[in-house]
Amino acid sequence: MLLSRRQRWRRWRRSRPFWGGLFAILAGTWICVLPLAPLKIMLQQGVAGIPSVLMGIVMVVLGLTAWFSPPQRGLAGVLTTVIATAALVLSNLGGFLIGTLLGILGGGLMFAWQPYAARRAGDSDAAGASGGADTSGGAGEGAEPAPAPIPSPPLTPVHAPSPPRTAVPAPAPPRSATTPPTPHSDPQGAQP
């Protein structure tokens, strides 16, 4: 059975840090476009606009990275937050604070996002014991049912072979009292 466009969109969106990436893209676009505004709106002009454009482009790329490569979300989230904070100083107050706030929010959402995990059998028992509370997040009738948990194969103990025994090297002989210590072997670290 083919899924409708809406269901495919929903599945794609939920399988990645969508909102974090969206906020990062919006922040990068806002910071990148602001140096191209008329001179009356700009606070800085000239070479100072180059970091704004570069930071905006990097933030857009990081937002797209979160969308199309979800395993990289941690690095993308941290870098987005750092760049958004740097934009506060380097780029017209971070796009008049709007770009910085969107970037920090997007970076935090990217870093905090976790992939959807199927419910365990113990979790559904706990929900039933709590009085049958609705745990669907208030989605109502249009919500997708939670997928059934995948049974795991029984665990069998694995006995790893013990590592081969090797001879322990003999300790170094003690230094005789007649040999003066060299500067590099002085136990107190004093230099001559």
Side-chain angles (χ1 to χ4, degrees):
M1 181 171 110
L2 294 175
L3 296 174
S4 70
R5 285 185 181 183
R6 185 175 180 185
Q7 289 173 333
R8 282 185 297 178
W9 167 251
R10 183 182 297 155
R11 183 173 289 169
W12 183 84
R13 191 186 64 203
R14 290 181 178 175
S15 66
R16 58 203 72 243
F18 176 78
W19 294 108
L22 181 67
F23 285 134
I25 290 170
L26 290 175
T29 304
W30 184 262
I31 290 172
C32 187
V33 169
L34 207 58
L36 306 175
L39 189 57
K40 293 178 182 180
I41 299 174
M42 291 292 299
L43 296 178
Q44 298 176 0
Q45 187 65 22
V47 179
I50 293 173
S52 300
V53 174
L54 291 177
M55 284 188 291
I57 291 171
V58 170
M59 287 178 71
V60 168
V61 168
L62 289 171
L64 292 173
T65 299
W67 278 359
F68 297 109
S69 182
Q72 306 301 325
R73 69 186 180 278
L75 178 64
V78 170
L79 288 177
T80 300
T81 304
V82 168
I83 291 171
T85 306
L88 187 64
V89 177
L90 298 174
S91 171
N92 293 313
L93 295 174
F96 300 120
L97 295 177
I98 296 170
T100 296
L101 293 176
L102 286 173
I104 290 172
L105 177 65
L109 287 173
M110 279 191 276
F111 186 78
W113 180 83
Q114 292 294 317
Y116 176 77
R119 240 185 250 213
R120 294 187 210 150
D123 290 346
S124 61
D125 293 341
S130 66
D134 181 21
T135 58
S136 63
E141 294 178 15
E144 293 178 1
I150 300 170
S152 60
L155 298 177
T156 58
V158 178
H159 299 287
S162 60
R165 296 185 183 202
T166 57
V168 178
R175 200 170 9 163
S176 66
T178 59
T179 308
T182 62
H184 298 293
S185 65
D186 188 15
Q188 263 108 46
Q191 296 294 323

